[in-house]
Amino acid sequence: MSENGETSPGDDPSDQFVGGETEGSPHVEFYGGRGMSAFPIAFFIVWAIVQTALWRIGDTGGLIVGILIGLIVGMFFVRGNWQSYANTIFEGMTQPVAVTAIVAWIWAGMFAQLLQDGGFVGGLVWLADTAGIGAALFPAITFVLAAVFTTGIGTGYGATVAFVGLFFPAGVLLGANPVLLFGAILSGAIFGDNLAPVSDTTIVSAVTQDADIGGVVASRFKYVIIAAAIAFVGYVIAGGAMSGLEIGAEAQAIFLESSEAIGLVHVISMLAVIGAAIAGRHIVEAISWGIVIAVVFNLGFGLTTLGDIVMFNAPPDAPLSEPLAGLPILTVVEDPDAVGVTGSLMTGVAGFLELSILVLLIIGAAQIMIRGGAFEVLLEWSIENLATNVRNAELTMVGSAALINAIITINTAAEVAIGPYISKIGERFNLNGYRRANILDGQTAALGYIFPWSGGVLAGYSAMQNLPGEYDWLDQSMLVTPIDVVPFVFQGWLLVAVFVVAALTGFGREYVIDRESEEVARV
C-alpha cells in the first residue's frame, strides 16, 4: 500500500500487524496442525480465482461472500474454545494498516468524483485532442503521469482511484485499449508506491530493516528506473498494437465537442495535493486540501452547483422540508426510493464501502493464519531449506515476500508481516539494510497491484464500476475485469524480474561492511 501513515517515533511497525507477536496475543490451535490456520485465506484465494478467472465475475460482493464462508468454515477446525478464533479476527480487522487503506480510498474517491463532476475528464480529452496525443500514446503518457502523481502524494491506492475515475474514461473515448490503460494506471501507482519517501511501504521497509529512509530511496532508484524505462517502451509498443473499443462516432463527436479547456483548472487541485504531500502533510490533510480547492473551483467557475456536491432529498412529510425546500442543498421528493443524500461527496464515498468490508475481512483471515502458526511454519521452512547461500537467500527473500503478498492482499500489511523474516535471512548473510529493504518493498509494491484479489486492483476496479453511471457513452461491457489486467501491469512484473536478476547476478548487492545505514529515520 502507499498511504502516508506517519509512523510516530518509538512505534514499531511489526507490532501493528501480524509480523510481531506481542505478549498476550491470542494463540489459536487447529485440528490438523498449524497449517490448517491458513484455511480461510486459502479458501478465499481459490474462490477468487474461480470467480474472477474461470467465471469472469469481477464482483466485490462475491469476494466478500467467499472470505466470509472461509472464515466460518475455518472455525470448525479450531481445537478448543472458538472465542480466541473470533477475537483474532477482530484483532486483525482493527489493525492500522487496514484502516489506513480504507481512509485513503474514501478521501481519494471524494476527490476524484469532484474533479470528474467538474469536467476534468473533458479537459483531458480536449488537451489530448488539441495536442494530437492519440490512442497509441495515451497509455504510456498515463503511466508517466500516474507515476509522478503517486510519487508526489505517496498513496498508490489513492492515485489508482483518481486516475481510473479521470484518465480511464478519457483514454477509452480517445480509442486507447481499456485493459492496457488500466494496466498503465496500476503500473504508475507501483512506481510511486515503491519510490515515494512518504509512502507507507517505503517507511515500513526501511524501519523493519533498520535503514534510513533517505538512503533506502536513493539506493532503490536504480531498480525502479530500469523497470520503468522498459515498461514505458512496452506501453508505447502495446498502445500501437492493441486496438481500442468501438465507440459510436456520434457519441464520441458529441463528447469531444462538449469537452472544454476549463476543466483543466483542476490540474491545480491535483498539484495542491502533490505539494501538500511533498511538504510532509498527512495524506488525509493533503487530499483534503485538494477537495477544498476542487469545491472552490467547481463553484467559482460554474462547473457544478452546491447541490451537485451534496444534496439532501427529503420526503414531503419531513419537518420543515417544504419551507426549506428553496435551499440549494435540499429538495423534496415524492418517490420514497429517492429519499437520501446524493452528490459528488456521497458518490465518492459509496463506491468503496464493499471494498472496505472485504479488506477488513481479509486482514482478519490473515491474522488467523499468523496466530495459528501457518505463516511461521512456511517461513521457517524456507529459511532452513532454501536460503543456503547468499544468492539463494536473496531469491528466498524475493519469493517469500511475493508469496506473502499473494496471501495478505494489502501490501503494507504484507510488508509488516514479512519484514522481520526478511531481516533474519539477510542478516544471516550480512546483507545491509538498504538491500534488504529494497528486496522487501520491490515485491510488495509490485504484487499489490497485480493479483486480481489484491487491494490496488480492487480499488481501481471499484472506481471503474461507478463510471457507467457518469457517462452515457460508457457501458458495463467497456470495463476491465481484474483478471484481464494481470499481464499488462508491466511495471509490476518488470520490478519483480529486476530483483530476480539482481539476486542471480549480484547487481546492487551490498553487505554491511560496504556501507553502514544511518540511524533509523521514522516519519
Side-chain angles (χ1 to χ4, degrees):
M1 191 181 60
S2 56
E3 278 58 68
N4 182 5
E6 292 195 0
T7 309
S8 301
D11 291 344
D12 185 352
S14 65
D15 290 337
Q16 295 179 6
F17 192 63
V18 293
E21 292 237 3
T22 56
E23 186 177 353
S25 298
H27 182 76
V28 187
E29 295 186 357
F30 287 81
Y31 293 108
R34 291 184 291 176
M36 285 304 301
S37 63
F39 176 85
I41 280 288
F43 180 89
F44 168 71
I45 292 176
V46 173
W47 179 292
I49 292 173
V50 171
Q51 177 185 310
T52 61
L54 300 184
W55 294 339
R56 316 289 291 180
I57 302 173
D59 180 39
T60 307
L63 295 177
I64 291 175
V65 173
I67 190 65
L68 281 172
I69 293 176
L71 286 168
I72 292 171
V73 175
M75 187 165 54
F76 290 94
F77 293 99
V78 175
R79 184 191 298 272
N81 194 328
W82 289 358
Q83 184 174 351
S84 293
Y85 181 90
N87 287 338
T88 302
I89 295 174
F90 279 98
E91 179 191 0
M93 294 175 70
T94 56
Q95 296 301 325
V97 288
V99 178
T100 301
I102 293 170
V103 169
W105 289 333
I106 292 173
W107 254 255
M110 291 190 294
F111 178 59
Q113 192 66 43
L114 284 167
L115 268 59
Q116 189 172 309
D117 293 347
F120 188 54
V121 172
L124 290 173
V125 172
W126 176 88
L127 178 63
D129 187 53
T130 302
I133 300 174
L137 282 179
F138 200 87
I141 298 298
T142 298
F143 165 60
V144 173
L145 294 176
V148 172
F149 183 74
T150 309
T151 303
I153 69 173
T155 164
Y157 287 175
T160 300
V161 170
F163 269 68
V164 166
L166 302 172
F167 281 71
F168 184 83
V172 169
L173 185 73
L174 290 169
N177 183 277
V179 178
L180 189 65
L181 190 57
F182 189 24
I185 292 170
L186 294 172
S187 286
I190 291 170
F191 181 98
D193 194 343
N194 188 214
L195 194 61
V198 295
S199 165
D200 264 12
T201 59
T202 300
I203 294 169
V204 171
S205 66
V207 172
T208 58
Q209 305 308 311
D210 290 332
D212 61 285
I213 294 172
V216 164
V217 171
S219 64
R220 85 174 34 153
F221 182 78
K222 56 182 175 289
Y223 308 112
V224 180
I225 203 64
I226 290 173
I230 301 173
F232 178 80
V233 174
Y235 284 119
V236 171
I237 296 173
M242 298 173 66
S243 59
L245 301 175
E246 290 293 334
I247 299 174
E250 183 178 350
Q252 191 173 35
I254 291 174
F255 192 84
L256 282 169
E257 290 175 3
S258 63
S259 299
E260 298 179 346
I262 188 62
L264 291 175
V265 70
H266 283 303
V267 169
I268 299 174
S269 304
M270 298 186 77
L271 291 175
V273 175
I274 295 175
I278 292 176
R281 302 297 184 182
H282 192 282
I283 191 59
V284 169
E285 180 182 351
I287 299 181
S288 293
W289 276 114
I291 290 173
V292 170
I293 294 172
V295 168
V296 170
F297 283 164
N298 281 352
L299 297 178
F301 289 97
L303 301 174
T304 63
T305 66
L306 189 58
D308 293 328
I309 297 172
V310 59
M311 176 63 74
F312 295 89
N313 301 311
D317 58 348
L320 297 179
S321 61
E322 294 291 351
L324 298 179
L327 292 176
I329 60 171
L330 177 65
T331 59
V332 177
V333 294
E334 299 291 341
D335 184 2
D337 294 333
V339 173
V341 180
T342 59
S344 303
L345 298 180
M346 186 59 201
T347 301
V349 171
F352 298 95
L353 295 182
E354 283 190 351
L355 181 58
S356 299
I357 294 170
L358 175 62
V359 166
L360 291 176
L361 292 171
I362 291 174
I363 297 297
Q367 192 80 338
I368 290 292
M369 180 180 175
I370 304 306
R371 298 304 185 214
F375 182 87
E376 187 176 3
V377 168
L378 179 65
L379 292 177
E380 285 181 350
W381 179 87
S382 66
I383 291 173
E384 295 300 325
N385 294 277
L386 301 179
T388 55
N389 56 50
V390 66
R391 177 185 297 175
N392 289 344
E394 290 195 337
L395 288 173
T396 300
M397 291 159 69
V398 171
S400 59
L403 176 61
I404 297 305
N405 202 85
I407 296 171
I408 305 174
T409 60
I410 303 301
N411 51 9
T412 306
E415 197 166 89
V416 173
I418 192 67
Y421 294 90
I422 295 294
S423 178
K424 182 177 180 180
I425 297 172
E427 287 175 353
R428 175 183 290 185
F429 294 93
N430 292 318
L431 294 170
N432 74 4
Y434 296 138
R435 179 71 166 185
R436 302 195 309 265
N438 291 332
I439 291 176
L440 170 61
D441 198 16
Q443 318 324 303
T444 52
L447 298 175
Y449 298 87
I450 291 180
F451 296 117
W453 56 87
S454 61
V457 177
L458 291 176
Y461 182 68
S462 295
M464 196 183 298
Q465 287 180 303
N466 298 326
L467 295 178
E470 300 292 333
Y471 305 100
D472 294 336
W473 55 268
L474 199 157
D475 58 47
Q476 198 72 24
S477 65
M478 299 178 181
L479 305 187
V480 179
T481 57
I483 191 65
D484 292 331
V485 78
V486 170
F488 300 100
V489 189
F490 295 162
Q491 178 70 11
W493 291 118
L494 287 166
L495 193 59
V496 173
V498 164
F499 278 103
V500 170
V501 172
L504 290 172
T505 63
F507 170 71
R509 183 178 295 150
E510 290 184 307
Y511 296 95
V512 173
I513 59 174
D514 296 330
R515 173 167 53 163
E516 291 285 349
S517 173
E518 299 174 11
E519 184 180 356
V520 177
R522 301 173 188 259
V523 177

